[in-house]
Amino acid sequence: MDQIRELDLEELQVEEVDDSSDDDDLHATGYGGAGSTGELTFNTCLASLHTYLGEVEDTHGRMAFLEGGAILNLPLFYLEGVVLFPEATLPLRVIHPNFISAVEKALTQVDAPYTIGVVRVHRDPDNGRPRFATIGTTAEIRQYRRLEDGSLNVVTRGQQRFRLRRRGIDVEGAPCGEVQIIQEDQPLRTPCDALGKLTPLSNLRTHSLSRIQPSIASRPKLHQSRDEDNVSESNSEESFEGALSLTERRIHHSAVDSCYGYDIMDESTSSDDDKFLCLGSSSTSGRQSCKGEEIGGWKKMDFDQFRRVPRAFWPYWVYRMYDSYCLAERASDMWKKIVGASSMDALVRKPGLLSFYIASKIPVSESTRQELLEIDGISYRLRREIELLESVNLIRCKKCQTVIARRSDMLVMSSEGPLGAYVNPQGYVHEIMTLYSANGLALIGLPETEYSWFPGYAWTITDCVTCETQMGWLFTATNKKLKPRSFWGIRSSQVADDMQ
């Protein structure tokens, strides 16, 4: 708060934006992969505190997570241009009497205290009618304050996804609905037996032939000593097969037969199934690829390296494509490179939380964010986010497709990330992505300092030059100590879906 007061005491010194000089100065701060972050002097924690709402009181009540599948009635907030994710912060300025009643109901309800439901609403492009999403998120009221005029300032935090079963209005006029909490899945792991040391060849051969050639498989004491020494590995094979369905087991046996059937050779060749013979080569590459002792024109080779191969229904790399932890590590590495985030090891160990973390902050269009919210399955959500992180490049106006900025222009001005939700005095919530620089925008009116979402910066409305759609705001520093000197806040609801 002391830092905020210092900023307020500074004399307003809004300067005319010089794109050439400011761009050089801004890009030196290094977000989005350019330069060093040492140039940034703004305290990014201030934006995430939503200090423009004034003093708010903690509710001191923390709602336990609801059981998946639970059905309950909740007060609902229908927000245009906003998609709330679990663990994301959502500020609200509640002015309308019906929604004030909804908050008051949430503060006193017994089955889900301090909890409201948030549902995205958008306009049908053909007829302009409102369309309500079927998937929303519960939000816990963490802080609130009642003002003298009866309105409420509220800070909430997303908790759990839900399916909207029906909606309506209660006797007090508060919007409400019946919702069902979505049961989130567990992170997918590659099966522990998908890659490992294969059961000894003699065991596999005997197991295979017992189904195909009973007379051969019944030869006594063929590899009795070897089987006894490797009983633990045989048990591992049996436990692995036991986890497969009947169809998968049949295909697995077929694969084993095809891999090892050709290798049934005369017992006089070798009594030790850890070794096999391969044709030697006079070339250097041949000698390097077939390590072992040379015997005549043949080489004896260690068979262990061929045991560490896939022995599950699918190859190992297929499992890794949907392994939640592998995907989480890949997504976090890409996220750190794009936004310059610090270590994310704690989130990588919790892929579900990481998938919601990235989804709530990735600077994409509103409809794409709703798509991410509706995806069931941690691995599928992470795969979609990786695809977006790889492909997102251009930020365009939704109406006229004018290119506004590029991914390299992204700037993190909040500890919440490059995209966050903010509310204006009239109660409209805007999700904005912050950028170093932007093109094709016109400034409307004079800079204003009142109710600024970023303490120490004045805001000016900006429209698209081509179609005159209100795209967001230009924020300019009110004192010379703050860096960057200026930046842009673009509304995600006005960004086109196609960002390539």
Side-chain angles (χ1 to χ4, degrees):
M1 294 301 296
D2 292 338
Q3 185 171 355
I4 299 172
R5 294 189 183 97
E6 289 180 9
L7 293 172
D8 290 340
L9 291 175
E10 291 282 352
E11 182 180 359
L12 180 62
Q13 297 179 357
V14 179
E15 299 179 356
E16 190 173 330
V17 179
D18 184 342
D19 286 342
S20 60
S21 61
D22 283 349
D23 286 351
D24 294 339
D25 182 56
L26 294 176
H27 282 285
T29 60
Y31 287 98
S36 168
T37 59
E39 294 285 337
L40 188 69
T41 61
F42 176 73
N43 185 355
T44 57
C45 293
L46 296 177
S48 60
L49 292 176
H50 300 281
T51 55
Y52 55 89
L53 292 175
E55 298 292 337
V56 289
E57 301 176 4
D58 292 334
T59 57
H60 301 294
R62 292 292 177 264
M63 173 66 184
F65 273 77
L66 299 166
E67 184 178 354
I71 299 175
L72 66 158
N73 289 298
L74 289 178
L76 293 181
F77 273 67
Y78 306 113
L79 299 180
E80 190 171 358
V82 175
V83 181
L84 178 65
F85 287 87
E87 299 301 319
T89 300
L90 174 66
L92 297 172
R93 175 97 172 87
V94 188
I95 300 175
H96 196 282
N98 290 354
F99 288 103
I100 293 176
S101 298
V103 173
E104 291 175 342
K105 180 180 179 180
L107 294 174
T108 57
Q109 62 190 358
V110 177
D111 52 349
Y114 306 102
T115 303
I116 61 174
V118 177
V119 176
R120 174 199 173 224
V121 62
H122 68 282
R123 300 285 176 179
D124 190 306
D126 296 328
N127 53 36
R129 294 179 180 177
R131 299 292 183 184
F132 298 88
T134 57
I135 303 295
T137 305
T138 63
E140 183 183 46
I141 299 174
R142 294 290 182 90
Q143 298 172 314
Y144 79 100
R145 178 193 180 196
R146 187 183 298 276
L147 304 182
E148 294 180 357
D149 60 1
S151 62
L152 296 172
N153 287 344
V154 181
V155 178
T156 69
R157 192 168 186 83
Q159 294 294 304
Q160 294 172 273
R161 296 189 306 147
F162 64 76
R163 287 186 174 86
L164 181 61
R165 293 165 60 94
R166 61 175 60 92
R167 56 186 177 83
I169 298 176
D170 67 9
V171 294
E172 297 178 353
C176 61
E178 183 181 82
V179 305
Q180 183 175 27
I181 303 299
I182 294 177
Q183 177 65 57
E184 302 293 351
D185 68 338
Q186 295 298 315
L188 297 178
R189 281 187 180 274
T190 300
C192 58
D193 286 336
L195 184 72
K197 191 172 182 179
L198 287 172
T199 303
L201 180 58
S202 58
N203 289 0
L204 289 171
R205 191 181 303 154
T206 303
H207 181 69
S208 174
L209 292 180
S210 65
R211 293 176 287 104
I212 303 174
Q213 298 173 325
S215 60
I216 299 177
S218 61
R219 293 178 184 175
K221 301 181 180 179
L222 182 62
H223 291 289
Q224 181 177 355
S225 61
R226 296 293 297 178
D227 292 343
E228 291 175 352
D229 293 339
N230 295 281
V231 64
S232 61
E233 294 184 31
S234 180
N235 291 337
S236 175
E237 176 70 16
E238 292 174 3
S239 64
F240 166 68
E241 290 190 8
L244 300 176
S245 67
L246 184 61
T247 303
E248 292 172 339
R249 197 179 308 167
R250 188 182 302 114
I251 297 176
H252 174 67
H253 288 164
S254 176
V256 170
D257 294 341
S258 63
C259 288
Y260 293 102
Y262 73 89
D263 202 38
I264 299 176
M265 43 182 114
D266 187 76
E267 296 302 324
S268 62
T269 303
S270 174
S271 61
D272 185 358
D273 63 16
D274 281 341
K275 308 292 181 181
F276 84 105
L277 299 177
C278 65
L279 185 62
S281 172
S282 59
S283 66
T284 304
S285 60
R287 287 194 295 270
Q288 291 176 344
S289 62
C290 203
K291 297 179 182 178
E293 180 184 353
E294 185 170 346
I295 306 176
W298 297 75
K299 284 193 175 184
K300 192 187 297 182
M301 184 171 176
D302 188 357
F303 193 68
D304 280 348
Q305 62 179 304
F306 287 92
R307 288 185 184 162
R308 298 202 62 80
V309 294
R311 56 183 207 172
F313 180 58
W314 295 107
Y316 184 61
W317 61 268
V318 175
Y319 285 102
R320 287 183 62 87
M321 288 176 61
Y322 294 92
D323 186 305
S324 300
Y325 294 89
C326 294
L327 292 170
E329 186 173 353
R330 182 181 173 191
S332 67
D333 288 342
M334 296 180 66
W335 184 254
K336 286 187 289 187
K337 290 179 181 178
I338 292 174
V339 304
S342 57
S343 175
M344 301 174 67
D345 293 343
L347 283 173
V348 171
R349 292 192 291 268
K350 298 178 179 179
L353 289 180
L354 178 67
S355 71
F356 288 132
Y357 175 88
I358 294 178
S360 66
K361 306 176 191 312
I362 187 170
V364 293
S365 68
E366 167 198 355
S367 57
T368 302
R369 286 160 53 74
Q370 180 66 35
E371 174 197 340
L372 292 174
L373 181 67
E374 295 180 0
I375 293 177
D376 291 325
I378 296 171
S379 295
Y380 294 102
R381 191 178 304 112
L382 284 170
R383 283 175 59 83
R384 177 58 174 146
E385 289 166 356
I386 291 172
E387 179 183 321
L388 289 171
L389 291 173
E390 289 176 337
S391 62
V392 168
N393 183 32
L394 301 178
I395 300 172
R396 294 185 173 94
C397 172
K398 182 177 182 179
K399 186 175 181 179
C400 66
Q401 300 296 313
T402 298
V403 176
I404 303 299
R406 299 180 178 274
R407 186 177 73 175
S408 57
D409 296 320
M410 276 198 310
L411 170 68
V412 180
M413 288 297 292
S414 169
S415 58
E416 295 277 323
L419 185 144
Y422 304 89
V423 62
N424 67 14
Q426 290 73 40
Y428 292 98
V429 181
H430 298 282
E431 285 184 330
I432 65 169
M433 55 184 74
T434 48
L435 306 170
Y436 280 122
S437 60
N439 304 306
L441 298 177
L443 300 180
I444 308 298
L446 298 175
E448 299 282 349
T449 57
E450 185 179 4
Y451 218 81
S452 177
W453 298 331
F454 301 90
Y457 286 86
W459 52 270
T460 308
I461 295 175
T462 62
D463 287 356
C464 175
V465 172
T466 305
C467 64
E468 298 184 351
T469 299
Q470 206 253 305
M471 294 298 298
W473 301 265
L474 171 67
F475 293 89
T476 50
T478 59
N479 67 79
K480 295 182 179 180
K481 295 180 181 179
L482 283 179
K483 290 184 179 181
R485 297 294 302 146
S486 65
F487 64 93
W488 303 80
I490 304 299
R491 300 164 60 197
S492 66
S493 61
Q494 301 304 317
V495 171
D497 293 336
D498 183 11
M499 304 185 75
Q500 295 185 7

